[in-house]
């Protein structure tokens, strides 16, 4: 069982990201007072300002931030301080080029961007420890400082590391994991294509090969190594800060990026997790939002749902406030009036109790001159600033929902081995990315709130039993421990839905020589006799489920029932396996398993939700059109419904039970209209 998070905001609050080093000192006090007047009570500072404290190696000066914090202390503003390790200064990279990260071909990433370092350079670790120690020792005691952000967006920009330091560290990682080269060669299947190793010095991080194809088992271990390196780098900093932080202050980091076990990161290094939410990416000029099938900005609810699996009550360190863009990439329109409120409420609806806008004012220089903040270059009051004030008024009106628990009708199972294997294996990736997106979309369009449930080393069956239904889309990699956990869940009354390719591999990514679904065959009552992609020359393959014709997706396992409790619910219609079973239900203990031989689509997911009795769980409370999202929260025996309209058109909703409008405090029931991008929060009476 995972431990509870160490820190939780006890009230809803707003913040913004501020860079005093970018602005004339004469602007500081006015900026802070202006923020406070519009409901912004916290700022994040310092995460890119190493040289302001150590302008030359070993030469430390605290004058700049001391002066700024004196101005802060005159106000009620609070500060989250960032450690500056995401941008090592020029003096450092010039003197110690070994700290730089490299491309796979060994070419170094040079100074001039950000996140150009590697986690495993002993020199960089030493210098990072020193600067974090200086920051913590000097600033943590300041009464205006309430929290710390480690680095900035761990594994953003690059999530692969190919420096010499990484190769040396990778060898140590493998020695600790396998002990002997014989064990490593066996785990990696190194006999294939004569890859067997006789000395540890022969092993490197993945390097350029013909077709850039690398040993998949080596690459899977490499991703685990990258995650391990990032977690240790973060923990190194948090261990230092914990010597200095005041009681009640917190340590966090921001973002959610690939090749990183964010659950372990949170458990080992953080008090609370924060995310950076940019729904306007859906409208970048490189996108096609008019013809998109992925719900555009609404799909950030999927990411926020995943953040909630990491940390149930999280914060948003960077919330979209203006158009996003650099001078070198990313071009986007400005958010429409009302979308700032919509996206902030999207975050709050999914579990955020702190929302900080990026950024206070658009920078007038540098790469991010088009990453717009609340204020524009001219520094005048504008509609975005006015909208921040409205968001603050909303936050005050719904303050009692802070810390409320999100409710979900079902959960999708994920685990890091399968996430990372899908990055290594293009067959796995095509299935997983398609199905996971469609399950989320089905959840949204059918107003059936969902959670993500990660199978971790310390996951216990009680965490699974919170959900009547679990969907494990494509668990290609299975372990004895995960299989035992799922068996116990079903035996105690759970309903488990499995998709194609379940049980194909072991934890090293090697295919097992037993019929799929492998370790889950005992509870599935099924056997995979054959399998195939639905090819480009094929028609869409359907299944007949009690006369309901549903598409079976992009990949098909041809099934056969096994045992007396297995029942064929649906058969394929089309292709050479027409008439063969595609969906088998098997009772096991007090529960059941539905083994589906296809991949998931929004239409067949709706059928699964309907069959298992969880579709539109809250329809007796509120009925809304597809253009709107609902989330449900509970606290102190009260139920709160959040309704968000993502459309630029007025939408009609129907409150079927008496409710209190949290803004007006008036009773709401029956037909209600939401304007373009409008959001509502109701307490169900």
């Amino acid at each position: 069982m995972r431990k509870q998070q160490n820190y939780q905001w006890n009230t809803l609050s707003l913040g913004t990201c501020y860079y005093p080093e970018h602005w004339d000192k004469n602007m500081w006090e006015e900026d802070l007072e202006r923020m406070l007047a519009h409901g912004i009570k916290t700022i994040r500072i310092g995460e890119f300002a190493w040289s302001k404290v150590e302008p030359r190696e070993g030469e430390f000066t605290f004058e700049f931030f001391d002066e700024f914090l004196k101005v802060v202390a005159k106000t009620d503003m609070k500060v989250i301080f960032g450690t500056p390790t995401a941008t090592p200064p020029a003096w450092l990279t010039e003197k110690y080029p070994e700290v730089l990260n490299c491309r796979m071909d060994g070419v170094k990433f040079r100074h001039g961007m950000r996140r150009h370092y590697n986690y495993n350079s002993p020199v960089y670790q030493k210098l990072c420890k020193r600067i974090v120690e200086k920051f913590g020792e000097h600033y943590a005691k300041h009464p205006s400082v309430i929290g710390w952000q480690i680095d900035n967006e761990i594994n953003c920009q690059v999530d692969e590391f190919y420096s010499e330091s990484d190769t040396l560290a990778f060898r140590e990682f493998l020695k600790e994991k396998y002990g002997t080269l014989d064990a490593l060669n066996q785990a990696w299947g190194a006999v294939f294509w004569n890859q067997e190793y006789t000395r540890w010095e022969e092993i490197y991080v993945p390097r350029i090969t013909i077709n850039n194809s690398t040993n998949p088992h080596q690459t899977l271990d490499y991703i685990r190594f990258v995650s391990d390196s990032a977690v240790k780098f973060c923990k190194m900093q948090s261990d230092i800060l914990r010597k200095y932080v005041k009681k009640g202050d917190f340590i966090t980091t921001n973002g959610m990026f690939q090749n990183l076990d964010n659950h372990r990161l949170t458990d080992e290094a953080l008090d609370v997790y924060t995310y950076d939410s940019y729904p306007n990416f859906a409208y970048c000029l490189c996108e096609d939002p008019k013809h998109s099938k992925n719900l555009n900005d609404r799909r950030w609810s999927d990411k926020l749902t995943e953040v909630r699996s990491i940390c149930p009550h999280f914060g948003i360190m960077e919330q979209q406030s203006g158009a996003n863009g650099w001078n070198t990439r990313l071009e986007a329109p400005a958010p429409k009036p009302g979308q700032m409120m919509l996206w902030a409420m999207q975050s709050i609806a999914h579990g955020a109790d702190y929302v900080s806008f990026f950024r206070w004012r658009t920078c007038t220089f540098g790469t991010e001159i088009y990453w717009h903040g609340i204020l524009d270059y001219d520094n005048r009051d504008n509609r975005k600033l006015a909208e921040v004030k409205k968001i603050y008024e909303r936050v005050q009106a719904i303050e009692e929902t802070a810390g409320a628990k999100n409710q979900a009708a079902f959960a999708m199972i994920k685990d890091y081995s399968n996430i990372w294997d899908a990055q290594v294996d293009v067959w796995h990736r095509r299935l997983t990315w398609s199905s996971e997106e469609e399950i989320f979309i089905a959840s949204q369009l059918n107003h059936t709130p969902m959670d993500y449930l990660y199978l971790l080393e310390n996951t216990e069956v009680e965490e699974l039993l919170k959900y009547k239904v679990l969907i494990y889309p494509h668990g290609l990699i299975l372990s004895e421990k995960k299989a035992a956990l799922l068996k116990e869940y079903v035996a105690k009354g759970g309903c488990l839905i499995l998709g194609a390719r379940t049980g194909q591999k072991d934890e090293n990514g090697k295919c097992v020589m037993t019929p799929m679904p492998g370790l889950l065959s005992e509870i599935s009552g099924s056997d995979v006799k054959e399998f195939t992609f639905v090819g480009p020359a094929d028609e869409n393959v359907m299944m007949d489920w009690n006369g309901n014709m549903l598409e079976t997706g992009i990949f098909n396992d041809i099934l056969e029932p096994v045992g007396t409790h297995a029942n064929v619910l649906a058969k394929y219609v089309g292709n050479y396996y027409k008439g063969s079973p595609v969906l088998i239900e098997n009772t096991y203990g007090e529960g059941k398993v539905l083994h589906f031989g296809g991949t998931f689509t929004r239409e067949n997911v709706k059928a699964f939700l309907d069959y298992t009795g969880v579709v539109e769980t809250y329809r007796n409370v509120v009925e809304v059109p597809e253009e709107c999202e609902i989330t449900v929260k509970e606290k102190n025996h009260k139920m709160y419904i959040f309704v968000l309209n993502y459309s630029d058109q007025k939408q009609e909703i129907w409150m079927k039970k008496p409710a209190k409008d949290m803004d007006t405090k008036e009773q709401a029931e029956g037909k209600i209209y939401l304007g373009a991008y409008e959001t509502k929060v109701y307490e169900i009476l």
Side-chain angles (χ1 to χ4, degrees):
M1 188 79 70
R2 289 186 73 204
K3 65 178 182 179
Q4 292 188 332
Q5 61 191 82
N6 293 333
Y7 178 87
Q8 187 174 331
W9 284 273
N10 56 20
T11 186
L12 300 180
S13 61
L14 301 180
T16 192
C17 304
Y18 189 62
Y19 299 90
E21 64 270 25
H22 294 175
W23 309 109
D24 189 287
K25 296 176 182 180
N26 294 325
M27 301 175 71
W28 290 350
E29 187 168 0
E30 179 187 349
D31 279 342
L32 296 173
E33 294 292 355
R34 205 168 167 194
M35 292 174 197
L36 289 164
H38 289 82
I40 292 173
K41 299 183 178 181
T42 306
I43 55 173
R44 179 194 67 178
I45 65 170
E47 77 272 21
F48 298 125
W50 189 323
S51 293
K52 286 296 180 185
V53 173
E54 190 180 9
R56 284 163 288 278
E57 183 178 6
E59 179 184 319
F60 299 97
T61 172
F62 303 100
E63 181 180 355
F64 180 81
F65 283 116
D66 281 350
E67 186 177 357
F68 177 69
L69 289 173
K70 283 181 182 178
V71 177
V72 173
K74 297 178 186 176
T75 73
D76 293 326
M77 187 64 70
K78 299 302 180 184
V79 171
I80 299 171
F81 227 125
T83 66
T85 54
T87 51
W91 61 258
L92 194 159
T93 56
E94 186 68 20
K95 184 174 180 180
Y96 305 107
E98 63 267 37
V99 310
L100 294 169
N101 189 14
C102 299
R103 300 187 321 203
M104 185 183 272
D105 62 4
V107 174
K108 285 182 168 61
F109 292 118
R110 297 297 180 176
H111 189 88
M113 213 269 192
R114 64 179 183 181
R115 306 207 56 79
H116 42 291
Y117 62 89
N118 69 78
Y119 299 125
N120 288 301
S121 163
V123 172
Y124 196 58
Q125 290 182 1
K126 176 183 175 182
L127 294 171
C128 286
K129 286 178 182 178
R130 188 171 67 179
I131 193 66
V132 172
E133 188 94 37
K134 295 292 185 180
F135 265 62
E137 183 180 40
H138 190 83
Y139 295 116
K141 62 192 175 192
H142 195 284
S144 297
V145 174
I146 61 167
W148 288 84
Q149 174 189 295
I150 293 174
D151 203 85
N152 184 77
E153 298 184 331
I154 302 289
N155 278 17
C156 180
Q157 253 77 60
V158 288
D159 54 21
E160 298 176 356
F161 299 83
Y162 300 107
S163 71
E164 291 183 13
S165 296
D166 293 306
T167 286
L168 294 174
F170 187 41
R171 289 170 184 162
E172 295 304 312
F173 173 85
L174 296 172
K175 287 178 187 177
E176 183 176 346
K177 180 172 182 176
Y178 293 110
T180 67
L181 285 168
D182 285 344
L184 179 142
N185 284 326
Q186 178 65 27
W188 284 7
V191 69
F192 185 79
W193 282 351
N194 203 34
Q195 296 177 49
E196 290 172 301
Y197 298 99
T198 57
R199 296 171 59 247
W200 292 102
E201 290 74 18
E202 295 166 1
I203 300 172
Y204 293 82
V205 294
R207 297 185 292 180
I208 293 292
T209 63
I210 293 174
N211 295 332
N212 208 25
S213 295
T214 52
N215 181 320
H217 320 296
Q218 174 189 8
T219 307
L220 184 57
D221 267 342
Y222 167 72
I223 294 173
R224 290 172 173 143
F225 158 74
V226 169
S227 175
D228 183 72
S229 300
V231 171
K232 288 177 177 176
F233 181 75
C234 194
K235 187 176 186 300
M236 175 187 79
Q237 297 194 34
S238 69
D239 285 348
I240 294 169
L241 290 173
R242 290 196 191 284
K243 296 189 297 183
Y244 303 107
V245 294
K246 304 187 300 297
K247 184 178 180 180
D249 291 359
F250 60 85
I251 297 173
T252 188
T253 193
N254 59 322
M256 182 176 64
F257 299 95
Q258 291 197 121
N259 295 357
L260 179 58
D261 183 336
N262 286 284
H263 293 74
R264 179 187 163 199
L265 176 76
T266 302
D267 291 346
E268 293 188 9
L270 309 178
D271 298 313
V272 67
Y273 191 86
T274 60
Y275 177 63
D276 297 345
S277 189
Y278 288 101
N280 201 44
F281 276 132
Y283 302 107
C284 282
L285 302 192
C286 60
E287 302 290 338
D288 187 11
K290 288 185 177 180
H291 304 99
S292 170
K293 293 184 179 180
N294 63 13
L295 303 187
N296 294 326
D297 54 330
R298 188 170 169 181
R299 75 177 185 268
W300 262 255
S301 293
D302 181 41
K303 303 174 192 296
L304 293 161
T305 300
E306 187 149 7
V307 172
R308 195 168 65 241
S309 81
I310 301 167
C311 186
H313 306 285
F314 57 91
I316 300 293
M317 194 62 79
E318 299 181 14
Q319 178 71 57
Q320 187 97 46
S321 65
N324 35 275
W326 290 5
N327 71 303
T328 52
R329 64 190 186 101
L330 300 173
E331 303 156 284
K336 306 289 192 294
Q339 284 186 321
M340 272 184 73
M341 170 73 84
L342 170 65
W343 297 334
M345 289 304 300
Q346 180 183 30
S347 293
I348 293 169
H350 283 278
D353 291 328
Y354 171 67
V355 175
S356 172
F357 294 100
F358 189 86
R359 48 189 287 164
W360 172 241
R361 184 188 298 106
T362 310
C363 198
T364 59
F365 51 84
T367 302
E368 290 188 339
I369 55 173
Y370 298 119
W371 208 287
H372 293 76
I374 298 169
L375 299 180
D376 293 319
Y377 313 114
D378 57 23
N379 203 35
R380 293 181 294 183
D381 287 0
N382 58 24
R383 67 170 174 86
K384 291 181 289 183
L385 186 62
E387 198 159 330
V388 169
K389 186 66 175 288
K390 290 181 180 178
I391 295 168
Y392 175 62
E393 292 167 356
R394 162 63 63 80
V395 162
Q396 288 181 301
I398 66 170
E399 190 170 25
E400 67 184 69
T401 68
K405 186 179 185 330
N406 280 75
Q407 303 299 300
F410 73 100
M412 186 198 304
I413 293 176
K414 298 184 80 168
D415 62 85
Y416 284 104
S417 287
N418 278 293
I419 291 170
W420 294 337
D421 188 67
Q423 294 170 208
V424 171
D425 178 345
V426 295
W427 284 50
H428 190 172
R429 182 186 314 157
R430 188 178 292 274
L431 274 63
T432 293
W433 289 10
S434 172
S435 285
E436 290 185 357
E437 181 174 80
E438 288 292 294
I439 292 168
F440 163 71
I441 290 171
S443 158
Q444 285 285 310
L445 298 183
N446 293 288
H447 307 111
T448 308
M450 63 172 278
D451 275 346
Y452 282 105
L453 175 65
Y454 271 72
L455 299 184
L456 307 169
E457 282 300 310
N458 56 359
T459 301
E460 297 181 0
V461 72
E462 287 75 19
E463 296 170 77
L464 279 64
L465 289 168
K466 294 175 184 176
Y467 305 97
K468 178 182 176 182
V469 176
L470 293 175
I471 303 177
Y472 198 9
H474 305 294
L476 274 72
I477 289 183
L478 272 181
S479 66
E480 294 279 0
K481 187 172 184 178
K482 283 185 282 192
L485 191 63
L486 294 171
K487 288 178 185 177
E488 188 178 3
Y489 165 74
V490 176
K492 291 184 175 180
C495 175
L496 176 64
I497 302 173
L498 304 172
R501 317 308 294 138
T502 297
Q504 177 189 332
K505 298 179 176 182
D506 65 15
E507 281 287 339
N508 291 314
K510 294 165 68 176
C511 296
V512 298
M513 294 181 68
T514 55
M516 289 179 284
L519 295 172
L520 293 180
S521 296
E522 179 187 348
I523 65 171
S524 71
S526 57
D527 181 2
V528 177
K529 306 302 291 185
E530 194 178 345
F531 50 85
T532 180
F533 270 115
V534 178
D538 298 327
E539 300 295 329
N540 291 344
V541 179
M542 311 297 286
M543 66 176 172
D544 183 348
W545 188 358
N546 287 336
N548 190 13
M549 302 297 289
L550 296 164
E551 191 176 340
T552 60
I554 62 175
F555 197 99
N556 292 162
D557 281 348
I558 295 92
L559 309 181
E560 184 174 285
V562 178
T564 58
H565 300 291
N567 179 34
V568 176
L569 295 184
K571 295 183 177 181
Y572 285 109
V573 177
N575 220 319
Y576 64 89
Y577 38 92
K578 178 180 179 180
S580 299
V582 58
L583 178 59
I584 292 174
E585 180 180 67
N586 188 61
T587 56
Y588 182 83
E590 298 177 20
K592 62 184 178 183
V593 176
L594 297 174
H595 186 186
F596 173 49
T599 62
F600 293 93
T601 69
R602 62 195 71 183
E603 292 82 12
N604 67 39
V605 172
K606 182 180 186 300
F608 281 113
L609 298 178
D610 189 32
Y611 183 77
T612 54
V614 297
V615 72
E616 296 193 79
T617 309
Y618 299 99
R619 190 180 182 123
N620 66 325
V621 179
V622 61
E623 191 170 344
V624 302
E626 284 191 349
E627 290 78 7
C628 295
E629 176 184 17
I630 67 164
T631 67
V632 181
K633 292 188 173 190
E634 289 188 3
K635 179 183 177 183
N636 298 331
H637 307 293
K638 291 183 178 181
M639 177 189 286
Y640 303 96
I641 301 278
F642 289 66
V643 186
L644 297 87
N645 178 17
Y646 289 87
S647 167
D648 60 359
Q649 302 295 316
K650 180 171 68 174
Q651 299 295 326
E652 177 184 304
I653 68 170
W654 189 268
M655 293 301 302
K656 295 185 173 181
K657 288 190 175 182
K660 180 175 73 175
D661 185 316
M662 298 289 286
D663 287 309
T664 65
K665 310 306 178 187
E666 297 174 351
Q667 184 164 318
E669 192 171 4
K671 187 183 296 184
I672 299 169
Y673 290 99
L674 268 64
Y677 311 123
E678 188 177 2
T679 61
K680 283 286 187 181
V681 183
Y682 298 102
E683 178 193 341
I684 306 304
L685 301 176

